[in-house]
Amino acid sequence: MDEAQKILRCSLKYCQTQNSLKSQFCSRCKSPLIQRYLWVLGTGFPAEQIQQFVAQRYLIISNKLVLDTRPGLPPYFPERIPPWLKPYLKLSPYRLHIPKLYGQIPRENLTSSETPELETTDHSDIWLLEYENFSSTVQKQLAKGEFLPTVDRAWSSTSGNRQLNWLLQISQLWQPLQVQGVAQTLVTPELLRVNGSVVQLQELETNRTTITLKDLGKLWSNWLSDADPKIQPFLQSICQRLQKGQLENSEELSDLLEEALEETARSQSVIFQVATTTDAGPSRSHNEDAYYQKEETRDSSSPHQALAIVCDGVGGHQGGEVASQLTIDHLRQEFQNLLDLSPKREVLTEQIEQAVSTVNDIICDQNDAENRKAQERMGTTLVMALGNNHQLYVSHVGDSRAYWITAHGCYQLTLDDDLASRQTRLGHLLYREALQQPAAGSLIQALGMSSSKLLHPTTQHLILDENSVFLLCSDGLSDNDLVEQYWEVEILPVLEEGKDLNTVAQRLVALANNLNGHDNVTVSLLKCSVSDLEDNQKLPVHIPELTQIQSSREPEATATRQADKPPGVLILLLILGLVIGGMGMAYWFFPEVQQSLDQFQEKLRSKPMRDPSDLPSPEN
C-alpha cells in the first residue's frame, strides 16, 4: 500500500483529521497523535493480508499485531463475552502486567479492503488486546512487527537486581492468575515479555493441567546459567526448593525475593525530587483539591525517601475542600517522619492503609456530627506515593490517578473506583464499553462516605531500578485521556532532557485548563533518579542462602515472645542462666567440682529415668 494511504486519524473527537503514519502531531490541531498497537488473539491473519486494512480501521502489521488508525472512536463491542475471556476483565486491577480486552473484529468485517477474497484462516471473530502506552522507541519496533522481548531473550543482558525484580513480579501474579485458572501463562516462556523493568504478559493462557509452584521452579532453573553471579546461589536454592515443594505458597516466595532485592539494591542510590501545583480551573469558583509534598535528599549512603499526596474534594458534595484538607493534614502528621517507617512491605502497607482508614473515619465522624446526609456529606478522593529507598508505594481511593513514566512507556497504575471499573472487574463489560455507560464515572467509594469497615484502599508496591517519573493527579488532568496523549511530549523530557520538574507541573495544569477546563486540577510529579554507587561507596552485597534468610526472621519472633513474658519469669531465667554459667566455670577451673559432676553423670547413665522424681539430687 502507498504510504499516503496509510492514514492515522487524530484521537480528539472534535478533530479526527487524517494524518500520515509518519506524523507525530496532528496537522490541524497540533496535538500529539496516538499510535495504539493491539495484539490479536487466536491464529491471526495470513501473510497475504499484512499491510492491509480490516474493519476500515485496523492496519495489519503482522499476523498477530494491528494498529488502530482511529483511536478516538470506540471499537466494536459484542453482545456476549465468552467465558475464556472473562479472566482479562476480572484481572483488570493488575493492568500494569496484564493486557486489557480492547474489542472485537466481527467475522463479517474480517475481509481485507483491498483483497476481499482473503480472510483469516479459522473464519472466527478476532479479539484484540490493549497494552499500556508504549514509547516511540518501542512503537518503532512494533511497526516492524516485533513485539516486546521475552524474559528468555532479555535475561542474560540485565543486572541481578532487575532479574530478581522480574521474578518478584511473576511471583506476585501467581495467586491471582491461579484463582482465575490462567497460571499456565506464568510457566510459558513465550508469554512472559518485558518492557524495561516491567513484566508484561503477552496474553493469558488457560491451565491445561494442574499448575503448581514446582512448574515455576522448573522454568526458572532454565535461567540459572545466565543469572548474575551475585544471585546465582540464591536463585539455585529457590529453584530447588520450588521443585521439591518446600515453599508452601507464592507469598512466601515473594518474601524471599524481596529480602534478596534488599541486598542487591544496596549497590544503587535513589534520589527523589517532588514538584506539585494546583489550580481552581477556568470554570470553578473555588478549589476543592488539596496536596502535600515532602522531599528529603541526603548523601548517597543514606536512605532517600519522599511523600506526595493529591486529594480531590468530591464534586457536588458540600465541604469537599474541607474533606480534602483534613486528609492532607492527617496523613502529613502520620508520615511526617519517614525514617520511622518500617522497611518491611507488609508492615508499611498496613501502616499506610490504617492511616487512610483513620482519616476516613475522622471525616465520617464530622459528617455525622454535622448531621450531613446523602449528597450533603463531604468526601474526597486520595492518591498517595511514598518513596522508601528503592521501593515505592502507591495508595489510592476514588478516581484520582497515579501514572508511572519511564523511557519505555507510560503505565496507569491505579484503577478508578467507579462504576465502569466495577463492571469490568465483575466480568460484565469490556472497560472501554463500560466507559460509554451514562453513569460510568460515578464513584463507588471515596473517603468520608461510609465507615472504614466498608472502605477498600488499594496499595501497590513497586521496585525502582530505572529512572522514572510518577504523576499523581486529580481528574481535572486525567479526563479525556490527556495523560495518554501528552505524556511523551510533556513528561518524558524530564528524564531524557533534564527538563525542570516545576515547569513541567505548571505546563500540565495549563494543558488541563485549556483542553479540559471543567474542574479543579492538581498535579504532583515525583522524579526518581536511580544510579549505581561508586565502588568506594558500595556496601558489600551478600545474598544469604534461604535457610539463613529464614533464620534471620527468628530473632524478631524470639524478641517478641520474650517481651510478652512477665518480669518474674525473666528474672528466673536470668538467675538460671547465672547458675548454669557459674557451674560451667567451676567445672573447668576447679578439679573437685569436675570430679563430682562426672560422678553425677555416671549415676544418670546407670539409672533409667522414668519420672522426674527419680533424678538424684546434686548433693548425692
Side-chain angles (χ1 to χ4, degrees):
M1 175 180 288
D2 185 82
E3 188 67 34
Q5 293 179 278
K6 297 179 180 178
I7 302 302
L8 178 63
R9 292 183 180 269
C10 178
S11 61
L12 297 182
K13 293 180 180 179
Y14 67 82
C15 184
Q16 293 290 304
T17 300
Q18 296 179 340
N19 298 272
S20 166
L21 287 178
K22 294 183 177 180
S23 301
Q24 184 179 4
F25 299 92
C26 177
S27 59
R28 178 187 174 194
C29 68
K30 308 303 179 184
S31 62
L33 295 172
I34 293 177
Q35 292 197 12
R36 184 173 294 139
Y37 288 88
L38 307 168
W39 184 259
V40 177
L41 286 174
T43 56
F45 295 96
E48 295 87 349
Q49 283 189 277
I50 293 176
Q51 296 301 308
Q52 304 300 321
F53 281 94
V54 291
Q56 299 181 343
R57 67 184 291 177
Y58 299 110
L59 176 64
I60 303 172
I61 305 298
S62 71
N63 73 313
K64 301 285 283 186
L65 271 177
V66 299
L67 173 68
D68 187 355
T69 62
R70 296 189 174 189
L73 300 179
Y76 174 79
F77 305 121
E79 293 183 3
R80 178 181 173 273
I81 302 170
W84 64 277
L85 290 174
K86 291 295 182 76
Y88 287 99
L89 307 182
K90 295 181 179 180
L91 291 168
S92 56
Y94 301 91
R95 58 181 298 151
L96 178 61
H97 310 286
I98 298 174
K100 300 181 290 294
L101 203 55
Y102 184 69
Q104 187 190 70
I105 307 177
R107 185 177 310 144
E108 59 269 22
N109 292 339
L110 288 176
T111 304
S112 169
S113 59
E114 294 194 352
T115 52
E117 71 280 2
L118 295 176
E119 298 182 358
T120 55
T121 55
D122 61 359
H123 300 280
S124 60
D125 296 327
I126 289 288
W127 290 89
L128 302 172
L129 297 180
E130 173 187 7
Y131 303 87
E132 292 299 303
N133 308 293
F134 296 127
S135 67
S136 295
T137 303
V138 177
Q139 286 176 359
K140 289 177 182 178
Q141 294 302 115
L142 296 172
K144 299 176 184 177
E146 301 173 11
F147 197 58
L148 301 174
T150 61
V151 173
D152 274 343
R153 177 182 166 190
W155 179 263
S156 61
S157 60
T158 195
S159 67
N161 193 44
R162 179 162 292 182
Q163 289 172 346
L164 288 175
N165 190 2
W166 287 343
L167 298 183
L168 175 61
Q169 292 173 55
I170 293 171
S171 72
Q172 291 172 336
L173 288 170
W174 183 266
Q175 193 272 340
L177 266 65
Q178 190 73 282
V179 169
Q180 296 300 324
V182 290
Q184 178 76 43
T185 310
L186 300 177
V187 296
T188 306
E190 182 64 21
L191 301 181
L192 298 175
R193 305 287 179 146
V194 289
N195 192 25
S197 61
V198 177
V199 171
Q200 172 68 70
L201 304 185
Q202 178 178 286
E203 59 183 76
L204 298 178
E205 184 173 353
T206 304
N207 295 350
R208 297 187 295 270
T209 59
T210 301
I211 304 297
T212 70
L213 288 173
K214 292 181 181 180
D215 300 298
L216 198 62
K218 183 178 179 180
L219 172 64
W220 290 6
S221 64
N222 296 330
W223 302 334
L224 272 173
S225 59
D226 290 326
D228 188 307
K230 295 192 298 293
I231 73 167
Q232 267 187 344
F234 169 79
L235 182 54
Q236 185 173 18
S237 298
I238 283 278
C239 292
Q240 289 174 350
R241 296 199 61 180
L242 284 171
Q243 293 182 81
K244 292 179 180 178
Q246 294 176 346
L247 292 179
E248 295 183 358
N249 52 57
S250 59
E251 289 80 6
E252 184 179 356
L253 173 61
S254 296
D255 288 343
L256 294 172
L257 290 167
E258 284 179 358
E259 293 193 38
L261 269 166
E262 284 289 336
E263 285 295 321
T264 59
R266 289 154 64 92
S267 63
Q268 291 184 324
S269 169
V270 180
I271 296 177
F272 295 103
Q273 294 173 272
V274 186
T276 310
T277 187
T278 188
D279 191 83
S283 61
R284 294 295 179 93
S285 59
H286 64 289
N287 194 346
E288 293 185 329
D289 288 1
Y291 73 86
Y292 174 74
Q293 68 179 51
K294 180 173 183 177
E295 152 187 13
E296 297 187 20
T297 304
R298 305 176 182 84
D299 63 86
S300 59
S301 62
S302 302
H304 295 177
Q305 299 173 310
L307 174 67
I309 310 171
V310 168
C311 292
D312 179 0
V314 176
H317 291 71
Q318 297 179 18
E321 66 272 26
V322 176
S324 60
Q325 192 59 52
L326 270 175
T327 301
I328 295 296
D329 292 342
H330 174 78
L331 295 179
R332 177 181 58 196
Q333 183 176 2
E334 188 74 22
F335 299 114
Q336 61 183 345
N337 191 352
L338 300 180
L339 289 174
D340 290 342
L341 298 177
S342 171
K344 300 292 184 180
R345 172 185 52 83
E346 62 274 13
V347 176
L348 185 46
T349 298
E350 184 177 352
Q351 288 177 319
I352 292 171
E353 294 188 351
Q354 181 57 53
V356 172
S357 295
T358 299
V359 72
N360 175 78
D361 289 341
I362 290 173
I363 300 171
C364 277
D365 290 344
Q366 184 162 336
N367 277 328
D368 294 340
E370 297 175 4
N371 199 30
R372 293 175 178 263
K373 304 293 184 181
Q375 296 299 310
E376 295 180 354
R377 292 180 72 84
M378 59 182 178
T380 184
T381 68
L382 163 72
V383 62
M384 176 176 73
L386 192 154
N388 186 36
N389 297 323
H390 64 286
Q391 305 176 76
L392 190 124
Y393 296 80
V394 174
S395 189
H396 92 284
V397 174
D399 62 358
S400 291
R401 291 182 180 177
Y403 296 84
W404 183 14
I405 292 95
T406 73
H408 305 90
C410 174
Y411 310 95
Q412 182 185 325
L413 293 174
T414 54
L415 187 66
D416 295 346
D417 290 322
D418 60 13
L419 285 176
S421 297
R422 184 171 70 176
Q423 289 288 83
T424 302
R425 289 198 309 270
L426 293 175
H428 299 328
L429 296 172
L430 277 66
Y431 182 64
R432 290 190 178 274
E433 180 182 10
L435 289 177
Q436 310 303 313
Q437 307 301 310
S442 299
L443 294 180
I444 59 174
Q445 69 168 356
L447 296 183
M449 295 294 97
S450 59
S451 167
S452 60
K453 295 179 181 179
L454 303 175
L455 187 72
H456 301 284
T458 301
T459 303
Q460 299 177 63
H461 170 239
L462 304 171
I463 300 296
L464 304 176
D465 68 4
E466 64 178 321
N467 293 340
S468 312
V469 176
F470 289 86
L471 165 65
L472 280 59
C473 64
S474 57
D475 59 355
L477 173 64
S478 61
D479 280 351
N480 298 315
D481 293 333
L482 280 194
V483 176
E484 179 182 27
Q485 190 171 9
Y486 281 91
W487 71 272
E488 191 164 19
V489 175
E490 298 293 341
I491 304 177
L492 193 56
V494 170
L495 299 177
E496 296 186 340
E497 304 168 15
K499 198 169 182 179
D500 178 68
L501 211 59
N502 285 288
T503 301
V504 173
Q506 293 167 6
R507 170 66 180 163
L508 290 173
V509 169
L511 277 173
N513 286 338
N514 292 333
L515 300 179
N516 281 339
H518 60 282
D519 202 354
N520 311 141
V521 56
T522 300
V523 170
S524 183
L525 294 171
L526 190 155
K527 180 182 178 182
C528 310
S529 300
V530 181
S531 60
D532 291 333
L533 293 171
E534 299 293 335
D535 289 339
N536 59 353
Q537 293 178 305
K538 287 183 179 179
L539 297 171
V541 176
H542 171 65
I543 304 177
E545 298 292 331
L546 291 188
T547 52
Q548 293 174 288
I549 291 179
Q550 290 171 329
S551 63
S552 69
R553 301 172 182 170
E554 294 179 2
E556 299 179 11
T558 302
T560 302
R561 289 194 297 269
Q562 292 201 356
D564 293 337
K565 293 179 179 179
V569 174
L570 294 176
I571 293 173
L572 287 175
L573 289 174
L574 178 60
I575 294 173
L576 181 60
L578 291 172
V579 170
I580 293 173
M583 291 177 66
M585 292 178 63
Y587 180 86
W588 291 109
F589 290 103
F590 299 97
E592 58 275 17
V593 175
Q594 191 178 89
Q595 182 180 4
S596 177
L597 287 174
D598 289 343
Q599 293 173 351
F600 171 59
Q601 290 177 350
E602 183 63 31
K603 288 183 180 181
L604 289 180
R605 284 193 292 269
S606 63
K607 184 176 182 180
M609 290 185 292
R610 296 180 299 274
D611 188 89
S613 60
D614 290 338
L615 290 174
S617 64
E619 292 81 13
N620 292 341

